[in-house]
Amino acid sequence: ARTILEILEAGFDEVVVDTSSHLGEVTLEALERASQIVVLVDLSLPAVKEAKLALRVFQRLGVTPDRIKVVLNHSETSYGITVAQIEASLEAKIASQLPTDTKTVLKSVQRAEPFVTLVPNAELSRRVRELADSLVPLHAAEGARSGQAARRPGFWSRTPAG
């Protein structure tokens, strides 16, 4: 895992690693190297319990709270738990809330194109762009790229077909 991450870090300004919720050796390696960690949670008790456990592990690993963003997925779906209750339980603020948009996501999957580019005006697309901007502000990403022309385009960049 370390070698793969080192290769990716050398070739790209930003590297996004989508890990499983299982905190095995490879996942822990990625988390320890991460400058920022996004913890997805929804309004269900099992998801909150799992997020709480993950945050405790991060604390034991020495991950500072400023490196962690808690994101509420399916934010309008309620299982009798409120955002305030989640924040109290996790002892962390919700950094972003992503709405459920099954139609947009299915269209994206069927066309094999990210929904943020396929349906850019959808609320889900807007919220995901806002989250991405909070992780890597556009001006910071552009500044990093201007000093390193040999590196590949960032996450949201599109290359012209040709």
Side-chain angles (χ1 to χ4, degrees):
R2 175 172 290 167
T3 303
I4 293 169
L5 291 172
E6 288 171 352
I7 291 168
L8 290 170
E9 289 169 344
F12 295 92
D13 293 328
E14 305 298 327
V15 177
V16 177
V17 180
D18 183 6
T19 68
S20 73
S21 59
H22 173 70
L23 297 176
E25 182 181 339
V26 173
T27 300
L28 290 173
E29 173 73 28
L31 293 170
E32 287 175 355
R33 296 177 69 92
S35 60
Q36 296 186 70
I37 298 170
V38 176
V39 177
L40 278 176
V41 65
D42 62 37
L43 290 167
S44 69
L45 192 55
V48 174
K49 286 176 70 175
E50 195 164 309
K52 189 170 187 162
L53 175 64
L55 293 173
R56 284 185 185 151
V57 170
F58 299 159
Q59 185 179 27
R60 288 188 196 124
L61 290 173
V63 176
T64 56
D66 62 305
R67 290 174 50 199
I68 301 169
K69 287 193 186 293
V70 178
V71 175
L72 181 59
N73 200 17
H74 307 293
S75 60
E76 72 290 334
T77 306
S78 179
Y79 297 100
I81 303 172
T82 67
V83 172
Q85 289 170 321
I86 290 175
E87 289 177 332
S89 178
L90 299 180
E91 299 176 8
K93 287 285 187 195
I94 300 295
S96 181
Q97 295 186 33
L98 305 177
T100 301
D101 187 344
T102 306
K103 181 180 175 185
T104 296
V105 172
L106 285 176
K107 185 176 182 180
S108 169
V109 170
Q110 290 170 344
R111 295 196 182 174
E113 184 177 342
F115 58 79
V116 294
T117 56
L118 184 63
V119 190
N121 295 327
E123 181 67 14
L124 177 60
S125 297
R126 187 181 67 74
R127 297 275 185 97
V128 168
R129 279 193 306 274
E130 288 173 357
L131 174 60
D133 289 344
S134 75
L135 295 168
V136 182
L138 186 57
H139 65 276
E142 287 174 347
R145 270 190 232 106
S146 68
Q148 300 174 345
R151 291 173 71 114
R152 302 209 177 146
F155 188 73
W156 298 114
S157 299
R158 295 189 62 148
T159 55

